[in-house]
Amino acid sequence: MISYPHLLSPDSSEGTSSEMDLLSGLWQPLLARLLIGSPAKLRLKTGETTMESANKEKQEMFEDPNATSFKIDGRVILDFRGQEHTLCVMEVARSPQLSKVHSDGAKVIREAKNIANCLVEILPDDKDLLYNSTAFGIQTAGLSGCIFSLLLVALALYVAVPEASFELPTSVTTLPKFKSVINTLYELRDNLNCLGSLTRDNLTKRKTLADQLEFIEKEEGLQRRARANGSWRTQ
């Protein structure tokens, strides 16, 4: 924030800062510090990147090996054996302009769906599968933002749940609201660490013959349900 003091000035206007200013000068430092010492060893990746799994889905959908998914401003990532597993996506906007809110929101939800799809492939197919396979998204506009979770609650049925909204203070008189912002971000951090630890545990689990047979049975079950009810997930 030292290089971008104007971002929190109550006199600043939308034209004085760019999306990159807000991302690199405000949200990236704030969220990166939130993940320091993460028990699940999570990290923040910023800068218009795509998810490999989302790219593969889009390539299959359009039968185009060069197709790529939406570029996302920020992602919370779990690294495992050279692969990135995204748990949360983030989009940053300069202002809450309606068209931008709609387009960014659609992009975040679409990529969160891909996260949920990937988690289903990793986590055990038990009574907690749908509860555990929860993706998270962050959408910001200027100094305000919202956090939502996205759950795969049934075959091909995804539900986005607004979890919290927040707004950063711009003066001493509005400083008390920062406590609620921090509490909101801490809760998000705790949820991501729990999800990250669960994901890592399942990725590191030593596979046995019984596990592989169970996986085959799970895949066959998904295929049977897909034929009967349509795909368990949507593109």
Side-chain angles (χ1 to χ4, degrees), residues 164-185:
S165 59
F166 54 88
E167 182 179 1
L168 296 180
T170 58
S171 65
V172 174
T173 56
T174 59
L175 192 59
K177 70 170 61 175
F178 192 55
K179 181 178 180 180
S180 65
V181 174
I182 289 298
N183 288 337
T184 296
L185 294 177

PDB file of all heavy atoms in Angstrom, residues 164-185:
ATOM      1  N   ALA A 164     -20.520 -13.573   2.257  1.00  0.00           N
ATOM      2  CA  ALA A 164     -20.248 -12.320   2.967  1.00  0.00           C
ATOM      3  C   ALA A 164     -19.943 -11.214   1.968  1.00  0.00           C
ATOM      4  O   ALA A 164     -19.507 -11.472   0.846  1.00  0.00           O
ATOM      5  CB  ALA A 164     -19.068 -12.489   3.924  1.00  0.00           C
ATOM      6  N   SER A 165     -20.189  -9.990   2.383  1.00  0.00           N
ATOM      7  CA  SER A 165     -19.780  -8.819   1.611  1.00  0.00           C
ATOM      8  C   SER A 165     -18.944  -7.935   2.522  1.00  0.00           C
ATOM      9  O   SER A 165     -19.048  -8.016   3.754  1.00  0.00           O
ATOM     10  CB  SER A 165     -20.995  -8.054   1.081  1.00  0.00           C
ATOM     11  OG  SER A 165     -21.817  -7.625   2.149  1.00  0.00           O
ATOM     12  N   PHE A 166     -18.110  -7.094   1.930  1.00  0.00           N
ATOM     13  CA  PHE A 166     -17.227  -6.260   2.742  1.00  0.00           C
ATOM     14  C   PHE A 166     -16.869  -4.991   1.987  1.00  0.00           C
ATOM     15  O   PHE A 166     -17.013  -4.909   0.765  1.00  0.00           O
ATOM     16  CB  PHE A 166     -15.952  -7.028   3.117  1.00  0.00           C
ATOM     17  CG  PHE A 166     -15.217  -7.606   1.935  1.00  0.00           C
ATOM     18  CD1 PHE A 166     -14.263  -6.867   1.254  1.00  0.00           C
ATOM     19  CD2 PHE A 166     -15.486  -8.901   1.505  1.00  0.00           C
ATOM     20  CE1 PHE A 166     -13.592  -7.392   0.172  1.00  0.00           C
ATOM     21  CE2 PHE A 166     -14.817  -9.442   0.415  1.00  0.00           C
ATOM     22  CZ  PHE A 166     -13.865  -8.682  -0.255  1.00  0.00           C
ATOM     23  N   GLU A 167     -16.407  -3.998   2.734  1.00  0.00           N
ATOM     24  CA  GLU A 167     -15.962  -2.731   2.150  1.00  0.00           C
ATOM     25  C   GLU A 167     -14.838  -2.176   3.006  1.00  0.00           C
ATOM     26  O   GLU A 167     -14.975  -2.064   4.231  1.00  0.00           O
ATOM     27  CB  GLU A 167     -17.110  -1.728   2.072  1.00  0.00           C
ATOM     28  CG  GLU A 167     -16.716  -0.413   1.419  1.00  0.00           C
ATOM     29  CD  GLU A 167     -17.874   0.567   1.338  1.00  0.00           C
ATOM     30  OE1 GLU A 167     -18.971   0.218   1.813  1.00  0.00           O
ATOM     31  OE2 GLU A 167     -17.671   1.679   0.812  1.00  0.00           O
ATOM     32  N   LEU A 168     -13.731  -1.845   2.381  1.00  0.00           N
ATOM     33  CA  LEU A 168     -12.588  -1.322   3.119  1.00  0.00           C
ATOM     34  C   LEU A 168     -12.837   0.121   3.548  1.00  0.00           C
ATOM     35  O   LEU A 168     -13.472   0.890   2.821  1.00  0.00           O
ATOM     36  CB  LEU A 168     -11.327  -1.393   2.260  1.00  0.00           C
ATOM     37  CG  LEU A 168     -10.855  -2.788   1.864  1.00  0.00           C
ATOM     38  CD1 LEU A 168      -9.593  -2.699   1.022  1.00  0.00           C
ATOM     39  CD2 LEU A 168     -10.609  -3.656   3.090  1.00  0.00           C
ATOM     40  N   PRO A 169     -12.337   0.513   4.713  1.00  0.00           N
ATOM     41  CA  PRO A 169     -12.524   1.888   5.194  1.00  0.00           C
ATOM     42  C   PRO A 169     -11.645   2.864   4.419  1.00  0.00           C
ATOM     43  O   PRO A 169     -10.596   2.494   3.887  1.00  0.00           O
ATOM     44  CB  PRO A 169     -12.095   1.798   6.657  1.00  0.00           C
ATOM     45  CG  PRO A 169     -11.119   0.667   6.688  1.00  0.00           C
ATOM     46  CD  PRO A 169     -11.606  -0.331   5.678  1.00  0.00           C
ATOM     47  N   THR A 170     -12.080   4.115   4.363  1.00  0.00           N
ATOM     48  CA  THR A 170     -11.316   5.151   3.665  1.00  0.00           C
ATOM     49  C   THR A 170     -10.957   6.322   4.571  1.00  0.00           C
ATOM     50  O   THR A 170     -10.339   7.284   4.119  1.00  0.00           O
ATOM     51  CB  THR A 170     -12.120   5.689   2.465  1.00  0.00           C
ATOM     52  OG1 THR A 170     -13.369   6.211   2.936  1.00  0.00           O
ATOM     53  CG2 THR A 170     -12.375   4.596   1.441  1.00  0.00           C
ATOM     54  N   SER A 171     -11.341   6.249   5.843  1.00  0.00           N
ATOM     55  CA  SER A 171     -11.041   7.338   6.772  1.00  0.00           C
ATOM     56  C   SER A 171     -11.031   6.793   8.197  1.00  0.00           C
ATOM     57  O   SER A 171     -11.406   5.641   8.443  1.00  0.00           O
ATOM     58  CB  SER A 171     -12.083   8.454   6.653  1.00  0.00           C
ATOM     59  OG  SER A 171     -13.355   7.984   7.062  1.00  0.00           O
ATOM     60  N   VAL A 172     -10.614   7.630   9.127  1.00  0.00           N
ATOM     61  CA  VAL A 172     -10.569   7.229  10.532  1.00  0.00           C
ATOM     62  C   VAL A 172     -11.968   6.911  11.047  1.00  0.00           C
ATOM     63  O   VAL A 172     -12.168   5.966  11.820  1.00  0.00           O
ATOM     64  CB  VAL A 172      -9.926   8.341  11.385  1.00  0.00           C
ATOM     65  CG1 VAL A 172     -10.011   7.983  12.868  1.00  0.00           C
ATOM     66  CG2 VAL A 172      -8.476   8.555  10.982  1.00  0.00           C
ATOM     67  N   THR A 173     -12.949   7.672  10.600  1.00  0.00           N
ATOM     68  CA  THR A 173     -14.312   7.459  11.089  1.00  0.00           C
ATOM     69  C   THR A 173     -14.899   6.131  10.607  1.00  0.00           C
ATOM     70  O   THR A 173     -15.771   5.561  11.266  1.00  0.00           O
ATOM     71  CB  THR A 173     -15.235   8.605  10.639  1.00  0.00           C
ATOM     72  OG1 THR A 173     -15.190   8.714   9.211  1.00  0.00           O
ATOM     73  CG2 THR A 173     -14.800   9.917  11.266  1.00  0.00           C
ATOM     74  N   THR A 174     -14.430   5.654   9.467  1.00  0.00           N
ATOM     75  CA  THR A 174     -14.948   4.376   8.953  1.00  0.00           C
ATOM     76  C   THR A 174     -14.020   3.209   9.284  1.00  0.00           C
ATOM     77  O   THR A 174     -14.281   2.079   8.872  1.00  0.00           O
ATOM     78  CB  THR A 174     -15.139   4.441   7.424  1.00  0.00           C
ATOM     79  OG1 THR A 174     -13.879   4.740   6.793  1.00  0.00           O
ATOM     80  CG2 THR A 174     -16.157   5.506   7.055  1.00  0.00           C
ATOM     81  N   LEU A 175     -12.946   3.479  10.034  1.00  0.00           N
ATOM     82  CA  LEU A 175     -11.971   2.438  10.357  1.00  0.00           C
ATOM     83  C   LEU A 175     -12.562   1.261  11.136  1.00  0.00           C
ATOM     84  O   LEU A 175     -12.143   0.115  10.921  1.00  0.00           O
ATOM     85  CB  LEU A 175     -10.800   3.047  11.134  1.00  0.00           C
ATOM     86  CG  LEU A 175      -9.560   2.158  11.302  1.00  0.00           C
ATOM     87  CD1 LEU A 175      -9.002   1.768   9.943  1.00  0.00           C
ATOM     88  CD2 LEU A 175      -8.493   2.884  12.126  1.00  0.00           C
ATOM     89  N   PRO A 176     -13.531   1.483  12.044  1.00  0.00           N
ATOM     90  CA  PRO A 176     -14.084   0.342  12.794  1.00  0.00           C
ATOM     91  C   PRO A 176     -14.647  -0.772  11.913  1.00  0.00           C
ATOM     92  O   PRO A 176     -14.667  -1.937  12.326  1.00  0.00           O
ATOM     93  CB  PRO A 176     -15.186   0.988  13.640  1.00  0.00           C
ATOM     94  CG  PRO A 176     -14.707   2.382  13.859  1.00  0.00           C
ATOM     95  CD  PRO A 176     -14.040   2.766  12.571  1.00  0.00           C
ATOM     96  N   LYS A 177     -15.092  -0.439  10.697  1.00  0.00           N
ATOM     97  CA  LYS A 177     -15.648  -1.481   9.835  1.00  0.00           C
ATOM     98  C   LYS A 177     -14.565  -2.458   9.358  1.00  0.00           C
ATOM     99  O   LYS A 177     -14.883  -3.536   8.866  1.00  0.00           O
ATOM    100  CB  LYS A 177     -16.348  -0.864   8.628  1.00  0.00           C
ATOM    101  CG  LYS A 177     -15.430  -0.227   7.608  1.00  0.00           C
ATOM    102  CD  LYS A 177     -16.147   0.154   6.325  1.00  0.00           C
ATOM    103  CE  LYS A 177     -17.241   1.158   6.562  1.00  0.00           C
ATOM    104  NZ  LYS A 177     -17.856   1.620   5.284  1.00  0.00           N
ATOM    105  N   PHE A 178     -13.278  -2.071   9.521  1.00  0.00           N
ATOM    106  CA  PHE A 178     -12.203  -2.947   9.068  1.00  0.00           C
ATOM    107  C   PHE A 178     -12.164  -4.239   9.886  1.00  0.00           C
ATOM    108  O   PHE A 178     -11.719  -5.276   9.398  1.00  0.00           O
ATOM    109  CB  PHE A 178     -10.861  -2.219   9.166  1.00  0.00           C
ATOM    110  CG  PHE A 178      -9.740  -2.932   8.455  1.00  0.00           C
ATOM    111  CD1 PHE A 178      -9.855  -3.269   7.115  1.00  0.00           C
ATOM    112  CD2 PHE A 178      -8.577  -3.270   9.122  1.00  0.00           C
ATOM    113  CE1 PHE A 178      -8.833  -3.927   6.451  1.00  0.00           C
ATOM    114  CE2 PHE A 178      -7.551  -3.927   8.475  1.00  0.00           C
ATOM    115  CZ  PHE A 178      -7.677  -4.251   7.133  1.00  0.00           C
ATOM    116  N   LYS A 179     -12.642  -4.170  11.130  1.00  0.00           N
ATOM    117  CA  LYS A 179     -12.670  -5.373  11.968  1.00  0.00           C
ATOM    118  C   LYS A 179     -13.553  -6.448  11.343  1.00  0.00           C
ATOM    119  O   LYS A 179     -13.182  -7.629  11.298  1.00  0.00           O
ATOM    120  CB  LYS A 179     -13.173  -5.029  13.369  1.00  0.00           C
ATOM    121  CG  LYS A 179     -13.212  -6.227  14.306  1.00  0.00           C
ATOM    122  CD  LYS A 179     -13.681  -5.829  15.701  1.00  0.00           C
ATOM    123  CE  LYS A 179     -13.717  -7.042  16.627  1.00  0.00           C
ATOM    124  NZ  LYS A 179     -14.170  -6.676  17.997  1.00  0.00           N
ATOM    125  N   SER A 180     -14.710  -6.046  10.840  1.00  0.00           N
ATOM    126  CA  SER A 180     -15.604  -7.023  10.215  1.00  0.00           C
ATOM    127  C   SER A 180     -15.007  -7.559   8.915  1.00  0.00           C
ATOM    128  O   SER A 180     -15.197  -8.726   8.565  1.00  0.00           O
ATOM    129  CB  SER A 180     -16.976  -6.396   9.951  1.00  0.00           C
ATOM    130  OG  SER A 180     -16.879  -5.345   9.008  1.00  0.00           O
ATOM    131  N   VAL A 181     -14.260  -6.695   8.197  1.00  0.00           N
ATOM    132  CA  VAL A 181     -13.601  -7.140   6.970  1.00  0.00           C
ATOM    133  C   VAL A 181     -12.569  -8.221   7.287  1.00  0.00           C
ATOM    134  O   VAL A 181     -12.517  -9.272   6.633  1.00  0.00           O
ATOM    135  CB  VAL A 181     -12.922  -5.954   6.248  1.00  0.00           C
ATOM    136  CG1 VAL A 181     -12.115  -6.450   5.047  1.00  0.00           C
ATOM    137  CG2 VAL A 181     -13.956  -4.937   5.799  1.00  0.00           C
ATOM    138  N   ILE A 182     -11.749  -7.965   8.298  1.00  0.00           N
ATOM    139  CA  ILE A 182     -10.715  -8.927   8.683  1.00  0.00           C
ATOM    140  C   ILE A 182     -11.340 -10.235   9.146  1.00  0.00           C
ATOM    141  O   ILE A 182     -10.872 -11.329   8.797  1.00  0.00           O
ATOM    142  CB  ILE A 182      -9.816  -8.333   9.787  1.00  0.00           C
ATOM    143  CG1 ILE A 182      -8.946  -7.222   9.202  1.00  0.00           C
ATOM    144  CG2 ILE A 182      -8.938  -9.409  10.405  1.00  0.00           C
ATOM    145  CD1 ILE A 182      -7.991  -7.686   8.118  1.00  0.00           C
ATOM    146  N   ASN A 183     -12.404 -10.151   9.935  1.00  0.00           N
ATOM    147  CA  ASN A 183     -13.071 -11.369  10.398  1.00  0.00           C
ATOM    148  C   ASN A 183     -13.609 -12.179   9.221  1.00  0.00           C
ATOM    149  O   ASN A 183     -13.535 -13.414   9.206  1.00  0.00           O
ATOM    150  CB  ASN A 183     -14.209 -11.016  11.357  1.00  0.00           C
ATOM    151  CG  ASN A 183     -13.712 -10.535  12.707  1.00  0.00           C
ATOM    152  OD1 ASN A 183     -12.586 -10.843  13.107  1.00  0.00           O
ATOM    153  ND2 ASN A 183     -14.532  -9.780  13.413  1.00  0.00           N
ATOM    154  N   THR A 184     -14.154 -11.479   8.233  1.00  0.00           N
ATOM    155  CA  THR A 184     -14.663 -12.150   7.034  1.00  0.00           C
ATOM    156  C   THR A 184     -13.537 -12.857   6.286  1.00  0.00           C
ATOM    157  O   THR A 184     -13.672 -14.016   5.873  1.00  0.00           O
ATOM    158  CB  THR A 184     -15.339 -11.128   6.099  1.00  0.00           C
ATOM    159  OG1 THR A 184     -16.485 -10.582   6.757  1.00  0.00           O
ATOM    160  CG2 THR A 184     -15.768 -11.779   4.796  1.00  0.00           C
ATOM    161  N   LEU A 185     -12.413 -12.164   6.119  1.00  0.00           N
ATOM    162  CA  LEU A 185     -11.279 -12.753   5.404  1.00  0.00           C
ATOM    163  C   LEU A 185     -10.648 -13.892   6.197  1.00  0.00           C
ATOM    164  O   LEU A 185     -10.187 -14.887   5.620  1.00  0.00           O
ATOM    165  CB  LEU A 185     -10.241 -11.676   5.098  1.00  0.00           C
ATOM    166  CG  LEU A 185     -10.696 -10.586   4.125  1.00  0.00           C
ATOM    167  CD1 LEU A 185      -9.610  -9.533   3.947  1.00  0.00           C
ATOM    168  CD2 LEU A 185     -11.077 -11.184   2.777  1.00  0.00           C
TER     169      LEU A 185
END
